[in-house]
Amino acid sequence: MIAIGEASRLSGVSIETIRYYEREGIISKAGRTSSGRRTYSDAEISELRFIKRCRELGFSINDAVALRQLADAPSDACETVEQLGRKHLLDVQAKLAELRQLEGALAELVENCAKGQSDCPMLDTLRAR
C-alpha cells in the first residue's frame, strides 16, 4: 500500500486534489492504516492517472468518471466512448472559434492604440456601453 504523498507523485495528481476526488466520490475512498493515514493500491493510482489524463484533455469531471466506468465495461462501450469524445471535440472546436474571434477583436483594439496619445481608443471602447 502506498501513502498519499507517494500516490500523488506517482499519479501526478496533487494531494489536495486526491482528497477532493475522494470527498466528492470521484474516486473510491482510500484504505486507512491503523493510525488513520490514507493508503492507495496500484489500481487506485491507475484510476488517478486515468482521471488526470481525461482532465488534461479537457473532459469534465463527470465525463472523466463516465469514461473511467466505461473503461471497466465490456468492449461494446466503445460506441458510447466515441460519442463522448466527439461531443467533447465539438465543444473544443467551438471554444477555438470563440478564441479566434476574441483574438481578432483584441488585435484590432491593440492596433488602434497609439503610444503617447492622451485618449486611448482601447479604453474608450472598453468604457462604451
Side-chain angles (χ1 to χ4, degrees):
M1 296 312 265
I2 300 165
I4 193 168
E6 184 67 4
S8 172
R9 187 187 71 73
L10 291 170
S11 67
V13 177
S14 75
I15 291 171
E16 283 306 310
T17 301
I18 293 172
R19 289 180 181 143
Y20 169 78
Y21 285 172
E22 200 175 304
R23 208 173 34 250
E24 296 298 316
I26 295 163
I27 61 168
S28 53
K29 296 250 184 223
R32 298 280 180 154
T33 64
S34 58
S35 63
R37 293 183 175 263
R38 290 174 169 89
T39 59
Y40 298 87
S41 67
D42 289 337
E44 290 165 325
I45 291 169
S46 291
E47 184 179 16
L48 286 166
R49 283 186 191 126
F50 187 95
I51 297 290
K52 183 178 190 304
R53 285 186 203 118
C54 290
R55 297 295 290 146
E56 288 171 343
L57 288 169
F59 283 99
S60 69
I61 289 287
N62 290 337
D63 284 348
V65 169
L67 287 166
R68 190 194 70 231
Q69 290 168 345
L70 289 165
D72 297 332
S75 60
D76 62 341
C78 194
E79 185 177 334
T80 304
V81 171
E82 180 185 8
Q83 289 170 357
L84 276 170
R86 285 191 185 281
K87 180 192 174 299
H88 185 56
L89 178 59
L90 289 173
D91 291 344
V92 168
Q93 289 169 334
K95 285 178 188 175
L96 285 170
E98 288 174 19
L99 286 171
R100 283 187 204 100
Q101 287 180 329
L102 178 60
E103 178 187 35
L106 283 171
E108 184 178 332
L109 284 172
V110 170
E111 279 182 31
N112 289 334
C113 286
K115 291 182 180 170
Q117 253 188 343
S118 59
D119 263 354
C120 178
M122 186 170 180
L123 289 176
D124 292 342
T125 301
L126 294 172
R127 285 187 196 112
R129 292 180 188 217

